[in-house]
Amino acid sequence: MHGWLPHFIAHWHYFAVWAMMAVECFVPIFPAEVVIPVATLIATRGTMSVPGVLVAGVLGSLSGTSVWYAVSRALGRERFDGLVFRYGHVATVRPHQVARIHKLFERWGAALVCVGRLLPGVRALISIPAGIARMPIPKFLLWSAVGISIWIGVLTYAGWLVRGQYLRIERFVSPIATAIIASIVILWIYRLLTWRRA
């Protein structure tokens, strides 16, 4: 499979999957919806195992989201909100988004930590109120792992389903993946540059 994304995954294998899933939690330029199916398709050709892609994706996402948890737990709400106000533009996280997640967490608690992993825009941010509320670490990791595993599992299965059409879709995968990621990067840069005006 040609293209920079398949080449990166094929060269670095599980590390590439882990790294991109971890980065997604901070700067959303490598969506799991693109990375995991592509990695799974590559795995079906024998260079990696499909379960290995699943595990690497789960561990990567869990690693990234755990950093949010640790930082918010260490800083507390007031200092963390100040951090978001000053540097939130890097991850395009706005204070009102964090406030909204706090309210949802107060209502749903651990259930939101699990279900939130399936929801775009909530996936990474849910770690913040969990950390500030000092949710027990084993409980946070357990519910996070459950939600992340479900979502990464669905994406892995989607990639595995189309394995028989590998040769037919090979020519389309890289351009489509590149277009999606390029669009996200352009949007991220735009939001970064216009943050103060917003």
Side-chain angles (χ1 to χ4, degrees):
M1 190 177 290
H2 305 289
W4 72 269
L5 178 62
H7 178 75
F8 180 63
I9 295 173
H11 182 73
W12 292 100
H13 297 91
Y14 304 116
F15 173 77
V17 177
W18 174 86
M20 286 189 283
M21 289 302 89
V23 169
E24 184 200 24
C25 296
F26 301 97
V27 183
I29 58 177
F30 299 120
E33 294 83 354
V34 172
V35 173
I36 297 300
V38 170
T40 303
L41 271 175
I42 294 172
T44 63
R45 307 302 288 179
T47 56
M48 297 184 289
S49 71
V50 173
V53 169
L54 172 62
V55 171
V58 170
L59 291 179
S61 188
L62 192 60
S63 298
T65 200
S66 294
V67 172
W68 276 123
Y69 171 87
V71 172
S72 60
R73 181 184 175 107
L75 293 179
R77 181 162 186 175
E78 184 175 343
R79 285 193 294 170
F80 188 86
D81 285 351
L83 189 69
V84 170
F85 184 78
R86 292 180 62 185
Y87 304 108
H89 62 282
V90 175
T92 62
V93 176
R94 298 183 182 276
H96 76 270
Q97 292 175 307
V98 176
R100 186 166 50 201
I101 292 294
H102 277 297
K103 291 181 180 179
L104 290 173
F105 181 79
E106 289 172 358
R107 181 175 181 181
W108 300 105
L112 186 64
V113 173
C114 179
V115 177
R117 304 298 174 189
L118 311 177
L119 307 175
V122 178
R123 196 173 301 154
L125 295 181
I126 187 54
S127 303
I128 297 170
I132 290 174
R134 305 186 74 82
M135 183 178 185
I137 295 175
K139 187 176 182 180
F140 169 78
L141 292 176
L142 173 62
W143 285 110
S144 296
V146 170
I148 290 170
S149 297
I150 292 171
W151 183 231
I152 299 295
V154 168
L155 296 175
T156 303
Y157 183 62
W160 183 80
L161 280 178
V162 298
R163 70 197 183 284
Q165 304 298 318
Y166 184 92
L167 295 178
R168 182 175 298 179
I169 68 175
E170 179 181 13
R171 75 184 86 172
F172 303 110
V173 168
S174 183
I176 292 173
T178 299
I180 292 173
I181 293 177
S183 299
I184 294 173
V185 170
I186 291 171
L187 177 61
W188 174 69
I189 292 173
Y190 171 78
R191 293 185 65 183
L192 198 64
L193 295 176
T194 59
W195 185 267
R196 291 187 183 278
R197 287 200 301 270

